[in-house]
Structure formats: structure tokens, C-alpha cells
Amino acid sequence: MSADARRIHPDLSKVLLDEETLRDRIRELGREISRDYAGRRLMVVGVLKGSVMVLADLLRSLSPDVDAAVDFMAVSSYAGTASTGTIRVLLDLRENPEGRDVLVVEDIVDTGLTLASLTETLRARKPRSLEVCTLLDKPDCRKIPFSPKYVGFKIPNEFVVGFGLDYEERYRQLPYVGVLRTPSNGQ
Ligand code: 5GP
């Protein structure tokens, strides 16, 4: 990657997780998930749009012994930097998850409302198993209890962007995760 793409964006106050740190941890998660699902038929569900980077890296890290299919969902989430607490399914799965081993891949768990609601929706469709892998987790921000099985990094309560995460559809392409300079982050 060019040095220009790696340059810290002026709207960020700091880089929290650099490319190498992200890559290494996602590889570890891939190894763990490959062990857990070896010989099984896995349905990996990427939650659009924030999960695209972690999903692509995670898929590349899965062992060929895992028989993995990929599907996508999109749900409504943030309008700004504050959670609305309501989700709507904007794009649904193309394949039926009934009887499948489903692994939802998400960018970040904050209040837990999105994933609690999404997993409830999916559980009603009777998958054989249902687990969640999230790149980032802000455990201090929960409004309801929610514990994803696979967590890349626990991070503090700051609004982060990059590596798929946006603020008003910007910054997704940054190859690192950084803290946005916004009034809500007090910077
Ligand atoms: P929750 O329902 O757990 O509060 O929020 C989950 C969704 O909120 C994520 O999928 C993401 O879209 C958004 N979100 C939560 N915290 C952050 C953050 O720090 N940065 C960004 N860009 N999005 C966030």
C-alpha cells in the first residue's frame, strides 16, 4: 500500500489500531474460527456496510477445511454519532439460514441493540448454531447485555472510523481504525 493511503487523515485525532495490528488479529480470529468450524458448513453473514474490510480479511484467513458460504444483511443503524436504538432490516439474506451454522460478522458492538435485535431475528429462523464475530467491541457502552463469541479488540468509548467504519459514509477506506475529532469525542 502506498505511503499516501497510510497517511493519517486530518479529521482524526489518533490512530487506534494500525494495519499490521488489525491484520494480525484478524488472522488469529480466522485460525480460531477455522478450528471451531472445521469440517462444518459455515454460513458467514456480513453486516453491510461496516463489516466489508474485516469480512474480506477474515474469509482469507479461514482454513480450506471450512466449507464457507457468504451472505449479506444490511440493517439501519446510526444517523450521526448517537444510537437510535431501532433497527430495520434493509437487505435480507438470499439463503435460508435454517439448520445452518451461522456466523454474523460485524464491525463494532456499541450499545448491543443492533446485534441483539439482529440475532433475535436470525434465531427465529432456526439456524443450527448462531455466533457473532465483531472486529471492535465497546463493552462500556452496552444498553443491553450482549457478548459476541469472537472479538477482535475491546476499545474505549470513543467514536472511531476507518477499516470499513464510517461517519456519514466517509472514512471507510482508511486502512486503520482511528478516533474522529468530533465534539462528541470532546477533541
Ligand atoms: P449498537 O447497536 O451496538 O449501538 O451499534 C452498532 C452499530 O453502530 C455499528 O454497526 C456501527 O454502525 C455503529 N457504531 C457504533 N459505534 C460506532 C463507532 O464508534 N464508530 C462508527 N463509525 N460506528 C459506530
Side-chain angles (χ1 to χ4, degrees):
M1 181 170 310
S2 72
D4 190 44
R6 285 200 194 93
R7 183 168 46 84
I8 179 161
H9 194 289
D11 295 353
L12 304 191
S13 59
K14 65 176 174 199
V15 172
L16 205 59
L17 302 163
D18 65 23
E19 270 182 271
E20 200 185 345
T21 308
L22 288 162
R23 192 188 55 219
D24 291 350
R25 180 67 186 126
I26 295 170
R27 279 195 190 146
E28 268 175 29
L29 285 173
R31 281 195 289 271
E32 196 182 332
I33 291 166
S34 298
R35 276 196 301 275
D36 292 353
Y37 290 92
R40 312 239 305 258
R41 276 193 72 211
L42 180 61
M43 182 170 177
V44 182
V45 175
V47 184
L48 295 173
K49 302 173 190 169
S51 74
V52 287
M53 298 265 204
V54 57
L55 180 75
D57 282 359
L58 191 67
L59 287 173
R60 276 181 285 215
S61 304
L62 290 182
S63 151
D65 299 335
V66 180
D67 184 1
V70 183
D71 209 334
F72 293 96
M73 286 185 85
V75 297
S76 61
S77 58
Y78 278 23
T81 54
S83 178
T84 61
T86 53
I87 74 147
R88 243 177 350 125
V89 175
L90 305 175
L91 174 79
D92 212 337
L93 299 173
R94 293 186 69 177
E95 299 294 323
N96 185 355
E98 190 175 339
R100 306 286 301 273
D101 289 308
V102 175
L103 178 68
V104 174
V105 178
E106 181 57 296
D107 53 357
I108 188 164
V109 185
D110 183 18
T111 63
L113 293 167
T114 304
L115 275 170
S117 170
L118 184 61
T119 51
E120 195 184 300
T121 304
L122 288 174
R123 207 163 277 122
R125 301 179 189 179
K126 301 186 172 50
R128 178 171 181 255
S129 67
L130 177 63
E131 299 293 352
V132 170
C133 173
T134 184
L135 178 68
L136 307 174
D137 188 5
K138 295 203 262 191
D140 299 341
C141 302
R142 289 293 192 282
K143 289 192 178 157
I144 46 168
F146 187 85
S147 305
K149 178 161 184 187
Y150 305 99
V151 174
F153 302 91
K154 289 192 174 156
I155 62 166
N157 182 14
E158 289 179 301
F159 193 83
V160 292
V161 294
F163 206 73
L165 288 107
D166 74 311
Y167 175 66
E168 295 181 343
E169 293 302 326
R170 300 176 64 198
Y171 313 110
R172 291 193 199 274
Q173 87 271 24
L174 302 177
Y176 46 78
V177 172
V179 178
L180 190 62
R181 278 180 218 277
T182 65
S184 67
N185 274 333
Q187 337 226 348

